[in-house]
Amino acid sequence: MSLREAPIPRAPTPMSKSSRSNLAETSNAAESVASGSGAGNAPPASDSYLFQVYLRLRPPSFSSPRFLTTHPNNHTQVYVHPPAAQTSTASQWPRAIERFSFTEIFTENSTQRDVFQKTTLPMLVEVVRSGRDGLLATLGVTGSGKTHTILGTKGSKGITQMALEVLMNGLHSRFVDFEKLDLAAIDQSDAVMINAPMFLSNTLTGMEAYMKRTNQQASLPKSKLPNVSDITITPDKRTNYAILLSMYEVYNDRIYDLLDERTITASISQAGMKRKAVHFKKLMTFDHRNDNAKKAVFGLRKIYVKTLDEALRVLEYGQASRHASPTSSNESSSRSHAFFAIEVKRFIAKSNVMLPSGTFQIADLAGSERARLANTQGERLVEAGSINRSLMSLGQCMQLQTQSENGKPVVVPYRQSKLTDLLFSSSYQGPVSQRAALIATADPQGDYNSTAQILRYTALAREVTVPKAPPTGHPALSTAEEKAKMEEERQKEYEAMRRLQAQLEETILRCKAAEDALRKANETIKELEENNLLIEQQVREEISNEFEERARTLKGVYLERLLDEEEAGREFVDGKLEIAMRGMEIDVYEDHDGNTSDEVSERMMELERENEELRMEVLRYKRIAEAKSPIKGKRVRSAALKKKVLLVTTERRHAAEDAENHAPRRKAIID
C-alpha cells in the first residue's frame, strides 16, 4: 500500500494490549525526558550538522502492533519499542525503549507536498538565487516508502517530479539558447553536452524495445497531484538560466553514466558491452595548489532541457539504465545507488557571462539487505556486499557528524567509500558548503531489526530509557542465589584474567627474545657487509696492480722489438747503399772493336735487376715488420727507414741516368 497524499477518515481499529502498553511506556518516557535527564539530549541547532535528517513514517497497511510511536506534542522524536519476540524469554525484565531525535518527523498523515516544501523547496531556492549546491538523499528498508517519496506513485507525484515542475514553471522565460551558447566550453568536468531533442531521438528505439520487453515497468508514474502550480521561484530579471540534467549510479563502488545512449541498446541485444567507469575528482582552478577545490564527476552526458516533458523522459531513460534484479525480498531490487543531478547554470542576461552556478542532486540510496532473507547468490551476493559496506560507511559518517572533540566537530572520514565521498565532499570542499538533507523512511509495522539499525545511524540524537519498576509478578532471585551466582561468575572471570595475564607475559618474553635475535642478526649483517667491502677493495687493488705490471712488461717487449727492427733496417739500408755505390763505379776499358756500348747496356740491365731485387726485399721486410707489430694490420715503419729506402732508389736511378748520358762521350774518346 502506498503512502497517502491526504489523510482519509477511517474507522478506528481496536488497540491491542501490546499497543496500549507501548503507548503508556512512551508517555512515561516522554515525561521523564521532559522533567530531567532527557532535556540535554535534544538535537542542537540545525546549522551545526552537515545533514539535516528527516524521518517519514509510512501509514499502517494492516492491523498489527507498532514498534514506532511519536509523542503528540513533539514532532522531532520517535520511540522504538522492541517487540515481545525480541526480548529474552528467560526473564521478564522491563524492555529498553530507545528514543531518537530528528530535524523533523513526518507522520503517517503528512502529504507529498508537505515533505517537498520543507525538505526540497528551500534548497531549490538557494540553487537558483545564489548558486549554492543542494543534496537530498533518501534511505530506508524495502517497503518503507522510499520510492514513493522520491518518484511517487500513480496517484501522487514524487519529490523529483515536483522539483522539475517548479523549476520549469519559474525559469522557462529566462532560458538561454543552446545553439548560440557553447556550454561545453565553460564546463570544467569534460562533460558531453547534448540537446534534449537530439538525445531523445537517439534513444527512442532502445527505449521502445526496453518498454516492450519489460511491459512498461520502467515508465515513471504520471499523476497531476499534488498541484504545485502555486509554488513559484521568482528568477532574477538580469539573469538567464540553463538547466542541465545528468544521472549516474554507484555500482560495486564504481561510478557509471546512466545516460549513455548505448546502455539500453546493448542490454536489449545482449551484446555484452562493458561499460566504462567515470571518475570523481577535483575541478581545475587557476591555483593548482588549492586543496579546497570543488569535486565533480567527469565525463558525464549532460542533457539541456527546456520543458518538463523533456526532463521526465530523460529521467525515465536513466531509471531504465539502472542496475536492478529480482530477489526474494523485492521483484525489482535496486543494485546500486542512483544520483539525479539538476545543474542550474546562471548567466548575465546582456553579456552571457557565467555567474556562480549550483547543482541540486537527488540520491536514491539502495537499501541494505540480508543474504539469508533475500536469498542472494553469486553476482547478487557481491552486489549486496558492496551496498552494505557503503551504507556502513555512511552510518559511521552520520554518527560522527553529531560528535565533537574538545569543543570542535569531529572530522568525518567521508573518503573511505565512493558513496560517502559523493555525499559529503561538497560539505567540506568548494567556496561554499552544500546544503544537504536526508530523508529516512520507516514502516512502524515493518522489520524491527532493519528499521532500528537505520534509525540508530541516521538519528541526530539517541537515548535509551529503561523503566525502573519491574513488571508485577516478577520471580525475583533470592539474595543467597544471587551471591552464589555472582561469586561463580567472578571466579570464572578471575581465572580467565589469570590465563590472559600468563599468555600476555609469555608473549612479552617471546617478543623480547625475538627483538634480541633481530638485533643480533642486524649486527651480523652489518659486520658481513663491512667485510665484503674490505675484500672487494683488496681484490680491486690486486687486480689493478697486476694489470699495471702486465702493461709495463708489454711496453718493454714492444720497445725492444721496435729497436731491433730499426737496427735491422739501418743495417739493411747501409748494405744496399754500399751495393749501389759499387754499381756506380764504371770502369772504362778501351775496346778497339767497338764493344763499349754493349757492355754499358748489359750493366744497365744488371742494375735494373738488382734494383728490382732490392724493391722485393724491402717489401718482404715490410711484411715481416707488420707481422711483428702489437696491433695487427697497422704499419709501424719508422720515418728514417722510409727516407733511406727512398734515397737508395733515387741514387740508383741517378746512377743509371749518368751512365746512359756518358756512354756517347766514352765512345767518342775510344774512337
Side-chain angles (χ1 to χ4, degrees), residues 549-568:
E549 184 65 27
R550 288 187 180 183
R552 285 194 296 269
T553 303
L554 290 175
K555 183 178 180 181
V557 172
Y558 292 148
L559 287 176
E560 186 177 355
R561 287 184 181 179
L562 288 175
L563 292 175
D564 292 343
E565 290 177 0
E566 186 177 357
E567 184 65 26

Side-chain angles (χ1 to χ4, degrees), residues 245-263:
L245 303 183
S246 58
M247 195 169 181
Y248 55 92
E249 67 176 351
V250 180
Y251 176 72
N252 286 342
D253 209 40
R254 303 188 73 181
I255 305 175
Y256 296 97
D257 187 3
L258 289 178
L259 299 183
D260 190 344
E261 300 92 332
R262 302 168 295 177
T263 304

Side-chain angles (χ1 to χ4, degrees), residues 624-661:
I624 293 174
E626 289 178 353
K628 292 182 179 180
S629 174
I631 303 175
K632 187 176 180 181
K634 184 177 181 183
R635 298 181 179 181
V636 294
R637 288 190 307 167
S638 63
L641 180 60
K642 291 182 179 181
K643 289 181 180 180
K644 290 182 179 181
V645 173
L646 182 60
L647 181 60
V648 171
T649 306
T650 304
E651 290 178 353
R652 294 289 300 273
R653 188 170 63 252
H654 290 169
E657 291 177 354
D658 290 343
E660 186 176 358
N661 293 333

Side-chain angles (χ1 to χ4, degrees), residues 127 131-135 294 357-360 426 432-436:
V127 169
R132 183 182 180 183
D133 290 339
L135 172 67
K294 183 179 177 181
S357 302
T359 302
F360 175 66
S426 295
V432 181
S433 63
Q434 69 176 358
R435 180 170 179 173

Side-chain angles (χ1 to χ4, degrees), residues 93 474-487:
W93 289 105
H474 174 69
L477 296 175
S478 64
T479 305
E481 292 177 352
E482 246 184 86
K483 288 183 178 180
K485 187 175 181 180
M486 291 176 63
E487 185 65 24

Side-chain angles (χ1 to χ4, degrees), residues 219-270:
S219 61
L220 292 175
K222 295 179 175 58
S223 175
K224 296 182 179 181
L225 296 177
N227 184 12
V228 292
S229 59
D230 58 324
I231 302 176
T232 58
I233 299 178
T234 305
D236 188 353
K237 295 181 179 180
R238 297 168 297 178
T239 306
N240 290 335
Y241 301 88
I243 295 182
L244 301 173
L245 303 183
S246 58
M247 195 169 181
Y248 55 92
E249 67 176 351
V250 180
Y251 176 72
N252 286 342
D253 209 40
R254 303 188 73 181
I255 305 175
Y256 296 97
D257 187 3
L258 289 178
L259 299 183
D260 190 344
E261 300 92 332
R262 302 168 295 177
T263 304
I264 291 184
T265 304
S267 64
I268 294 296
S269 60
Q270 298 180 354

